[in-house]
Amino acid sequence: MTGRRTVIRGGLVLDPEGRTALQDVLIEDGRILAIVNPGFEVSDDAEILSAADQMLIPGLISAHTHSHGALSRGAIDDRVSLEMFLTGQGASTRSRGTDDKYLSAALSAAEMIRKGCTACFDLTVEIPGPSQQGISAVARAYHNAGMRAVVAPMIADRTIYQALPGLLDALPDELRSHCAGLSAAPIEDTISACSDILENWEFDRRWIRPALGPTIPLHCSDEFLIACARLASEHGIPLQTHLAESRAQAALGRTRYGKSLIEHLEELGILSERLSAAHVIWLDDNDIARLGQSGVRVAHNPSSNLRLGSGVAPVRKMLRNGVTVGVGTDASNTSDGQNMFEAARLASYLSRIDGFASDEWISAHEAFHLATEGSAQVLGFEKIGRLTAGYEADIVFLRLDRPHFVPLRSPLIQMVFAENGASVHTVMIGGRIVFHDGTLLTLDESLLRRQAQEAASRLDQANAGTYASAATVARLVGAFCAAQGCTGHTLPRKLNLTCEA
Ligand SMILES: [Zn+2]
């Protein structure tokens, strides 16, 4: 007895070694049964799909994004550093109802699918704190889009003013008392909400899984981090955090803990294979060795790192130390197109300015491997990220009649270095076609667009006061953070950031 069978005929299939060959892909019950030479005979009831003049690649996997960012697109000034962005984030995400949370995730999923991304790790924030209803709405959006996802409530128990030592003192008197009076949701409320979310998970874990996202170590008390790690361990789920993303974080981590952020997490017992860390830029060789030894996985987000001026992650050094690295885009309000092709290309290009000899640069093949199989490991999904028998049929069909594939000599290199998602013709996830010939088949994009515009007007009006005060404070926070690391602590990641004498 066999299940539902599909055969994709005549495509140029990319194998895990980066080679391509014209082959047929046999799919049964959403998984790849075999990849065989063209002309393979199948039973009459099998569905036949033609992939003539197309390249078949595994779906790209974003190791780090935030679905709440989709509805915040364009809401914050373009020249903002990470901490300035975080200061304004509350303004762009507050006042949202459950429908808005669903809408933002649906917009985010639609964007990813259009650009050939079939799975993601989503840290999603709710203000004032996580709720079962909100996280379910986000997970349902992925379910309806037909995409795989790990969905983690992004949580903290400190405001940015409590998180960054010295920040409050640096603010003018009239702002200091206001900012000092702000508070995050209490630990007990957040942990208990997360516990409810995990205990009542209603989605098929082959597709959508839960996780926890203690957002940034400095923004979480030790007690909070330990409680998150314990809860994740009890439920056998992953944890993801933003680690050493900015120079200010690394410098202020030393101020608060007297050691590096990575050493601090190690001391708390949190470094393990359960943890993945996004960005991971400002760290030294000992920190990198610790990540390798403990099995922490890293989500590299090169486009966001450039957009927010955060820096260049030492990916080659991490790989040399045995760290598993995946690639992510970060949210559509921090790297703005959620384009995994672009992120893979930047992962390769940025490795070239790190002072290594050319044979140490991240190759096109390696970058693609990180953006698929590396990211799959960050998500904790075992059978996605490659076109091989036994793996999920998450397959992207690329048109080969686009300029960057003409003439066609090195399909993988030509794709990684020039594809921008415009060649994506068909996207199949788990054997189901969710995007075809310019149309998303699972969500009504014109409806989403109308709803997004309506939500943006309503939310901007509701949050107008918060936006205005956030803009003023963000400049002060930015100036405070820009000064961190310029004196006192020596950090290894050199950037062309001007430090006033
Ligand atoms: Zn992020």
Side-chain angles (χ1 to χ4, degrees), residues 275-287:
L275 178 71
S276 57
H279 303 283
V280 194
I281 299 168
W282 296 88
L283 67 173
D284 64 20
D285 291 350
N286 291 329
D287 290 330

Side-chain angles (χ1 to χ4, degrees), residues 345-369:
R345 177 165 63 254
L346 287 174
S348 178
Y349 283 3
L350 279 173
S351 70
R352 291 149 204 244
I353 61 167
D354 227 354
F356 294 119
S358 60
D359 58 358
E360 289 276 9
W361 294 353
I362 290 172
S363 68
H365 178 220
E366 214 172 358
F368 190 74
H369 174 81

Side-chain angles (χ1 to χ4, degrees), residues 1 82 222 246 292 310 358 369 393 461 482:
M1 180 86 181
L82 173 70
D222 293 352
S246 67
S310 301
S358 60
H369 174 81
Q461 205 170 14

Side-chain angles (χ1 to χ4, degrees), residues 71 91-104 448 450-465 467:
L71 207 43
S92 71
T93 45
R94 67 195 310 123
S95 314
R96 290 188 185 183
T98 305
D99 289 350
D100 297 320
K101 293 167 193 173
Y102 173 88
L103 173 61
S104 198
L448 292 179
R450 284 199 302 279
Q451 291 173 331
Q453 204 58 54
E454 178 280 319
S457 309
R458 171 172 42 82
L459 294 170
D460 287 354
Q461 205 170 14
N463 300 332
Y467 272 120

